[in-house]
Amino acid sequence: MDFDKLDEELSRIVELRIRLSEITYADPDYDEIEEQLHDLEDTLNEKYGDLLEEKLAEIYATLSSDNDVLLPSAYLANKYIPMQPDARGVVTYDVQGMEGVPVESEQFDGQDVRIALVPNPVRFVMVINGRSLKDLWRSR
């Protein structure tokens, strides 16, 4: 698995999601950006779906959750927070708020637990009560 390529493709999706969140439907570029975004999400599911779904199944088993594993694109947050670039100029991202896919688990009874897919490095993050708290899986 080429995790560098996955990071690149996932980062492009995140950048488009950020850009889309900054404009309105009235913007002449909105439809084109949205179409590019959907194409990239479809490609993500096709190229990396099996691996990411396998990792998600392991996460759900660890969390003792009966939820169904969804397509990887479902775990994309609507809003990402870009962090400062590292020494190589790579930007990583964080998620906050009610982002990601809700997960039911008795381990977290009464709390809002979600899983979000985040790039650089590619990882599934646990978001509890709107705060990104733990990496559940990292590509490296």
Side-chain angles (χ1 to χ4, degrees):
M1 172 63 57
D2 185 352
F3 287 115
D4 290 333
K5 186 72 173 159
L6 174 55
D7 256 334
E8 270 180 41
E9 293 178 24
L10 188 54
S11 292
R12 181 71 182 131
I13 290 170
V14 168
E15 290 164 8
L16 285 176
R17 281 183 173 248
I18 290 170
R19 190 162 167 221
L20 206 56
S21 73
E22 295 171 344
I23 61 176
T24 67
Y25 295 119
D27 190 295
D29 294 331
Y30 191 93
D31 289 337
E32 182 180 329
I33 294 169
E34 187 176 47
E35 187 174 321
Q36 288 175 16
L37 183 60
H38 290 309
D39 289 345
L40 290 172
E41 290 171 355
D42 289 344
T43 300
L44 173 79
N45 290 331
E46 290 169 15
K47 288 174 69 173
Y48 305 104
D50 290 341
L51 169 78
L52 295 175
E53 287 174 29
E54 178 183 313
K55 298 304 176 188
L56 284 162
E58 292 171 11
I59 290 168
Y60 279 58
T62 301
L63 297 176
S64 301
S65 175
D66 291 333
N67 290 78
D68 292 331
V69 171
L70 305 176
L71 290 172
S73 61
Y75 296 85
L76 293 166
N78 290 318
K79 295 180 183 175
Y80 287 88
I81 302 165
M83 308 307 279
Q84 292 295 320
D86 66 12
R88 299 173 296 144
V90 176
V91 175
T92 191
Y93 299 90
D94 191 18
V95 291
Q96 293 181 0
M98 302 308 178
E99 298 291 339
V101 173
V103 177
E104 295 176 15
S105 172
E106 290 181 15
Q107 296 177 25
F108 303 99
D109 193 37
Q111 298 185 66
D112 182 65
V113 179
R114 296 169 184 258
I115 298 174
L117 180 58
V118 182
N120 296 328
V122 175
R123 62 201 185 277
F124 286 107
V125 175
M126 179 184 287
V127 181
I128 300 177
N129 297 328
R131 294 183 51 217
S132 175
L133 293 180
K134 180 180 181 181
D135 290 351
L136 299 169
W137 173 81
R138 292 173 67 101
S139 62
R140 53 181 165 259

